[in-house]
PDB file of all heavy atoms in Angstrom:
ATOM      1  N   ALA A 167     145.482 150.004 165.554  1.00  0.00           N
ATOM      2  CA  ALA A 167     144.713 151.215 165.278  1.00  0.00           C
ATOM      3  C   ALA A 167     145.075 151.788 163.928  1.00  0.00           C
ATOM      4  O   ALA A 167     144.204 152.188 163.143  1.00  0.00           O
ATOM      5  CB  ALA A 167     144.959 152.255 166.380  1.00  0.00           C
ATOM      6  N   ILE A 168     146.402 151.847 163.629  1.00  0.00           N
ATOM      7  CA  ILE A 168     146.844 152.397 162.354  1.00  0.00           C
ATOM      8  C   ILE A 168     146.362 151.527 161.205  1.00  0.00           C
ATOM      9  O   ILE A 168     145.895 152.013 160.170  1.00  0.00           O
ATOM     10  CB  ILE A 168     148.388 152.519 162.335  1.00  0.00           C
ATOM     11  CG1 ILE A 168     148.827 153.601 163.313  1.00  0.00           C
ATOM     12  CG2 ILE A 168     148.891 152.828 160.936  1.00  0.00           C
ATOM     13  CD1 ILE A 168     150.349 153.665 163.501  1.00  0.00           C
ATOM     14  N   LEU A 169     146.453 150.207 161.384  1.00  0.00           N
ATOM     15  CA  LEU A 169     146.031 149.282 160.347  1.00  0.00           C
ATOM     16  C   LEU A 169     144.553 149.436 160.034  1.00  0.00           C
ATOM     17  O   LEU A 169     144.134 149.556 158.883  1.00  0.00           O
ATOM     18  CB  LEU A 169     146.335 147.844 160.780  1.00  0.00           C
ATOM     19  CG  LEU A 169     145.892 146.720 159.808  1.00  0.00           C
ATOM     20  CD1 LEU A 169     146.644 146.877 158.479  1.00  0.00           C
ATOM     21  CD2 LEU A 169     146.147 145.361 160.414  1.00  0.00           C
ATOM     22  N   LEU A 170     143.741 149.477 161.092  1.00  0.00           N
ATOM     23  CA  LEU A 170     142.303 149.602 160.897  1.00  0.00           C
ATOM     24  C   LEU A 170     141.936 150.954 160.324  1.00  0.00           C
ATOM     25  O   LEU A 170     141.084 151.076 159.447  1.00  0.00           O
ATOM     26  CB  LEU A 170     141.559 149.362 162.215  1.00  0.00           C
ATOM     27  CG  LEU A 170     141.594 147.921 162.744  1.00  0.00           C
ATOM     28  CD1 LEU A 170     140.921 147.862 164.115  1.00  0.00           C
ATOM     29  CD2 LEU A 170     140.920 146.968 161.784  1.00  0.00           C
ATOM     30  N   ALA A 171     142.566 152.007 160.825  1.00  0.00           N
ATOM     31  CA  ALA A 171     142.276 153.337 160.312  1.00  0.00           C
ATOM     32  C   ALA A 171     142.663 153.438 158.855  1.00  0.00           C
ATOM     33  O   ALA A 171     141.968 154.045 158.046  1.00  0.00           O
ATOM     34  CB  ALA A 171     143.037 154.393 161.137  1.00  0.00           C
ATOM     35  N   GLY A 172     143.789 152.831 158.486  1.00  0.00           N
ATOM     36  CA  GLY A 172     144.236 152.876 157.107  1.00  0.00           C
ATOM     37  C   GLY A 172     143.295 152.137 156.183  1.00  0.00           C
ATOM     38  O   GLY A 172     143.155 152.473 155.013  1.00  0.00           O
ATOM     39  N   CYS A 173     142.615 151.122 156.693  1.00  0.00           N
ATOM     40  CA  CYS A 173     141.656 150.369 155.881  1.00  0.00           C
ATOM     41  C   CYS A 173     140.294 151.019 155.852  1.00  0.00           C
ATOM     42  O   CYS A 173     139.379 150.542 155.177  1.00  0.00           O
ATOM     43  CB  CYS A 173     141.503 148.948 156.444  1.00  0.00           C
ATOM     44  SG  CYS A 173     143.020 147.969 156.316  1.00  0.00           S
ATOM     45  N   GLY A 174     140.098 152.098 156.607  1.00  0.00           N
ATOM     46  CA  GLY A 174     138.806 152.763 156.640  1.00  0.00           C
ATOM     47  C   GLY A 174     137.752 151.976 157.365  1.00  0.00           C
ATOM     48  O   GLY A 174     136.572 152.118 157.112  1.00  0.00           O
ATOM     49  N   GLU A 175     138.150 151.088 158.263  1.00  0.00           N
ATOM     50  CA  GLU A 175     137.213 150.207 158.923  1.00  0.00           C
ATOM     51  C   GLU A 175     136.586 150.809 160.165  1.00  0.00           C
ATOM     52  O   GLU A 175     135.495 150.448 160.547  1.00  0.00           O
ATOM     53  CB  GLU A 175     137.908 148.905 159.318  1.00  0.00           C
ATOM     54  CG  GLU A 175     138.364 148.064 158.139  1.00  0.00           C
ATOM     55  CD  GLU A 175     137.194 147.472 157.374  1.00  0.00           C
ATOM     56  OE1 GLU A 175     136.110 147.366 157.967  1.00  0.00           O
ATOM     57  OE2 GLU A 175     137.368 147.124 156.212  1.00  0.00           O
ATOM     58  N   ALA A 176     137.298 151.726 160.868  1.00  0.00           N
ATOM     59  CA  ALA A 176     136.761 152.179 162.140  1.00  0.00           C
ATOM     60  C   ALA A 176     137.215 153.585 162.466  1.00  0.00           C
ATOM     61  O   ALA A 176     138.212 154.075 161.943  1.00  0.00           O
ATOM     62  CB  ALA A 176     137.190 151.225 163.256  1.00  0.00           C
ATOM     63  N   LYS A 177     136.439 154.234 163.344  1.00  0.00           N
ATOM     64  CA  LYS A 177     136.818 155.510 163.930  1.00  0.00           C
ATOM     65  C   LYS A 177     137.003 155.286 165.424  1.00  0.00           C
ATOM     66  O   LYS A 177     136.468 154.341 165.996  1.00  0.00           O
ATOM     67  CB  LYS A 177     135.722 156.546 163.667  1.00  0.00           C
ATOM     68  CG  LYS A 177     135.565 156.904 162.191  1.00  0.00           C
ATOM     69  CD  LYS A 177     134.455 157.924 161.998  1.00  0.00           C
ATOM     70  CE  LYS A 177     134.301 158.280 160.535  1.00  0.00           C
ATOM     71  NZ  LYS A 177     133.199 159.236 160.313  1.00  0.00           N
ATOM     72  N   TRP A 178     137.773 156.177 166.079  1.00  0.00           N
ATOM     73  CA  TRP A 178     138.121 155.961 167.469  1.00  0.00           C
ATOM     74  C   TRP A 178     137.768 157.183 168.301  1.00  0.00           C
ATOM     75  O   TRP A 178     137.913 158.308 167.866  1.00  0.00           O
ATOM     76  CB  TRP A 178     139.622 155.669 167.580  1.00  0.00           C
ATOM     77  CG  TRP A 178     140.040 154.556 166.673  1.00  0.00           C
ATOM     78  CD1 TRP A 178     140.386 154.634 165.363  1.00  0.00           C
ATOM     79  CD2 TRP A 178     140.102 153.176 167.008  1.00  0.00           C
ATOM     80  NE1 TRP A 178     140.671 153.406 164.860  1.00  0.00           N
ATOM     81  CE2 TRP A 178     140.507 152.475 165.849  1.00  0.00           C
ATOM     82  CE3 TRP A 178     139.870 152.453 168.195  1.00  0.00           C
ATOM     83  CZ2 TRP A 178     140.689 151.102 165.821  1.00  0.00           C
ATOM     84  CZ3 TRP A 178     140.049 151.076 168.164  1.00  0.00           C
ATOM     85  CH2 TRP A 178     140.443 150.417 166.991  1.00  0.00           C
ATOM     86  N   ASP A 179     137.299 156.929 169.523  1.00  0.00           N
ATOM     87  CA  ASP A 179     137.040 158.054 170.419  1.00  0.00           C
ATOM     88  C   ASP A 179     138.294 158.333 171.259  1.00  0.00           C
ATOM     89  O   ASP A 179     139.351 157.752 171.024  1.00  0.00           O
ATOM     90  CB  ASP A 179     135.810 157.779 171.300  1.00  0.00           C
ATOM     91  CG  ASP A 179     136.029 156.613 172.264  1.00  0.00           C
ATOM     92  OD1 ASP A 179     137.198 156.183 172.472  1.00  0.00           O
ATOM     93  OD2 ASP A 179     135.031 156.143 172.816  1.00  0.00           O
ATOM     94  N   ASP A 180     138.191 159.219 172.236  1.00  0.00           N
ATOM     95  CA  ASP A 180     139.369 159.641 173.010  1.00  0.00           C
ATOM     96  C   ASP A 180     139.984 158.513 173.827  1.00  0.00           C
ATOM     97  O   ASP A 180     141.149 158.579 174.213  1.00  0.00           O
ATOM     98  CB  ASP A 180     138.987 160.799 173.956  1.00  0.00           C
ATOM     99  CG  ASP A 180     138.642 162.053 173.184  1.00  0.00           C
ATOM    100  OD1 ASP A 180     139.087 162.160 172.019  1.00  0.00           O
ATOM    101  OD2 ASP A 180     137.929 162.913 173.741  1.00  0.00           O
ATOM    102  N   THR A 181     139.221 157.475 174.102  1.00  0.00           N
ATOM    103  CA  THR A 181     139.751 156.368 174.903  1.00  0.00           C
ATOM    104  C   THR A 181     140.416 155.308 174.040  1.00  0.00           C
ATOM    105  O   THR A 181     140.981 154.349 174.555  1.00  0.00           O
ATOM    106  CB  THR A 181     138.612 155.703 175.706  1.00  0.00           C
ATOM    107  OG1 THR A 181     137.716 155.057 174.791  1.00  0.00           O
ATOM    108  CG2 THR A 181     137.851 156.725 176.518  1.00  0.00           C
ATOM    109  N   GLY A 182     140.295 155.470 172.716  1.00  0.00           N
ATOM    110  CA  GLY A 182     140.864 154.470 171.818  1.00  0.00           C
ATOM    111  C   GLY A 182     139.890 153.379 171.464  1.00  0.00           C
ATOM    112  O   GLY A 182     140.226 152.437 170.758  1.00  0.00           O
ATOM    113  N   ALA A 183     138.634 153.509 171.929  1.00  0.00           N
ATOM    114  CA  ALA A 183     137.630 152.492 171.631  1.00  0.00           C
ATOM    115  C   ALA A 183     136.991 152.748 170.270  1.00  0.00           C
ATOM    116  O   ALA A 183     136.794 153.883 169.874  1.00  0.00           O
ATOM    117  CB  ALA A 183     136.548 152.504 172.712  1.00  0.00           C
ATOM    118  N   SER A 184     136.671 151.669 169.570  1.00  0.00           N
ATOM    119  CA  SER A 184     136.006 151.783 168.268  1.00  0.00           C
ATOM    120  C   SER A 184     134.565 152.220 168.487  1.00  0.00           C
ATOM    121  O   SER A 184     133.851 151.652 169.307  1.00  0.00           O
ATOM    122  CB  SER A 184     136.042 150.444 167.536  1.00  0.00           C
ATOM    123  OG  SER A 184     135.313 150.517 166.344  1.00  0.00           O
ATOM    124  N   VAL A 185     134.105 153.255 167.734  1.00  0.00           N
ATOM    125  CA  VAL A 185     132.735 153.742 167.907  1.00  0.00           C
ATOM    126  C   VAL A 185     131.858 153.497 166.691  1.00  0.00           C
ATOM    127  O   VAL A 185     130.662 153.294 166.800  1.00  0.00           O
ATOM    128  CB  VAL A 185     132.714 155.247 168.252  1.00  0.00           C
ATOM    129  CG1 VAL A 185     133.297 155.471 169.631  1.00  0.00           C
ATOM    130  CG2 VAL A 185     133.480 156.071 167.226  1.00  0.00           C
ATOM    131  N   SER A 186     132.435 153.517 165.485  1.00  0.00           N
ATOM    132  CA  SER A 186     131.625 153.236 164.300  1.00  0.00           C
ATOM    133  C   SER A 186     132.529 153.013 163.100  1.00  0.00           C
ATOM    134  O   SER A 186     133.643 153.516 163.045  1.00  0.00           O
ATOM    135  CB  SER A 186     130.672 154.400 164.003  1.00  0.00           C
ATOM    136  OG  SER A 186     131.405 155.547 163.628  1.00  0.00           O
TER     137      SER A 186
END
Side-chain angles (χ1 to χ4, degrees):
I168 291 172
L169 178 62
L170 291 175
C173 295
E175 294 291 338
K177 294 179 180 178
W178 307 85
D179 65 15
D180 293 338
T181 67
S184 175
V185 292
S186 66

